[in-house]
Amino acid sequence: MSMLRKAMGVAVLAGAAMLTTAGAASAASGPAGTPTAADTAAIGQVTGGPATLGRLAATKFPGAHAAAAAARQSADPRTQVPVYEPTAAFVAGQSDVPATLAYVAVPARTGDGTAATVWAERQGTAWTVVNVASGDYERQYAQAAAGGYLLHEPQVNAWYAVHGDAVTVLDGSVTGLAAGTKLSLVDYRAALHGRYADKLPGSAYDRDGAGGGYGGRERAVPAVDPGGVPLLPFVLGGVLVLVAGAAVVPRLRRQ
């Protein structure tokens, strides 16, 4: 009888372990690098400081229409939008943390009144302004995310809202998924794996330098505003990221 109890106990434990493992793959894990209150204060200082305002004053986007002559450069540090990106470890199934912080977007205006976005990035323990991009698309996508965190898949320029285990497409770009499509994190990871498994660090694709490989500083910036108007191509680092034959058409930006 004791042997039977032991056998049943082992079976129950094995079953529990299987359920735990399956649950881990689908359980919601928050993104890494979420800004703290101290980070928010530091971002506010750097994006609203004289150096950033001077940069905005000097920024002019090709084709932009100047606003009223009274317009002045400004940034709104009260509005900070964390933008997250999937990690190679998540794509490879080595981590259940879906994404990590890429940058924090702050809406702004250039000296001629054009809508812009300041990108602040954590570098070591400090925050640095790394880019001024045209438009305020991150703010608009964050509003559409309705409380979820904003996830950007830069290789195909797709945008998502993540609430727990649910991933909602905000702009599927060239993925073929319509806005409003809902996926589980498990299904989203499967889609990522299908797109990038052979392009991860260490792959032949990565070693050959094709399209820059997966991840890295060559990531593209947002291409299409939420209203669906495409903008001209320009890519960070001068690299056009190609994945599965899809070309990314990022928005105009200024280093």
Side-chain angles (χ1 to χ4, degrees):
M1 191 70 171
S2 61
M3 291 293 291
L4 179 59
R5 284 200 187 99
K6 285 183 180 179
M8 290 177 65
V10 170
V12 169
L13 289 173
M18 290 175 64
L19 287 173
T20 301
T21 302
S26 60
S29 295
T34 299
T36 64
D39 289 328
T40 298
I43 293 166
Q45 287 184 342
V46 72
T47 57
T52 300
L53 294 179
R55 188 169 175 174
L56 287 166
T59 296
K60 295 187 182 299
F61 296 114
H65 298 289
R72 293 187 57 190
Q73 69 276 5
S74 63
D76 182 12
R78 297 168 301 175
T79 302
Q80 298 184 14
V81 180
V83 177
Y84 299 89
E85 294 177 0
T87 67
F90 181 70
V91 175
Q94 298 168 351
S95 171
D96 287 327
V97 178
T100 190
L101 184 70
Y103 62 96
V104 174
V106 173
R109 292 275 171 186
T110 62
D112 61 7
T114 303
T117 298
V118 175
W119 290 12
E121 190 174 272
R122 187 190 283 118
Q123 295 184 350
T125 59
W127 285 89
T128 302
V129 171
V130 296
N131 185 46
V132 174
S134 64
D136 62 348
Y137 308 125
E138 288 90 344
R139 179 187 63 80
Q140 295 179 57
Y141 282 126
Q143 287 181 339
Y149 68 83
L150 192 60
L151 181 65
H152 181 218
E153 190 181 330
Q155 290 81 3
V156 292
N157 195 37
W159 292 82
Y160 308 86
V162 183
H163 299 78
D165 281 316
V167 180
T168 303
V169 178
L170 300 177
D171 181 354
S173 188
V174 297
T175 65
L177 295 176
T181 301
K182 294 186 181 298
L183 305 167
S184 68
L185 268 177
V186 170
D187 289 339
Y188 178 58
R189 173 148 64 183
L192 287 175
H193 191 269
R195 284 196 280 275
Y196 310 121
D198 60 347
K199 302 173 181 67
L200 295 174
S203 66
Y205 181 93
D206 180 37
R207 290 193 302 272
D208 291 343
Y214 178 87
R217 301 300 305 149
E218 74 284 349
R219 67 170 179 261
V221 296
V224 181
D225 71 14
V229 180
L231 298 172
L232 297 178
F234 200 99
V235 183
L236 181 60
V239 178
L240 183 60
V241 181
L242 301 176
V243 174
V248 179
V249 185
R251 80 189 194 222
L252 281 170
R253 54 195 304 285
R254 181 184 179 88
Q255 283 279 55

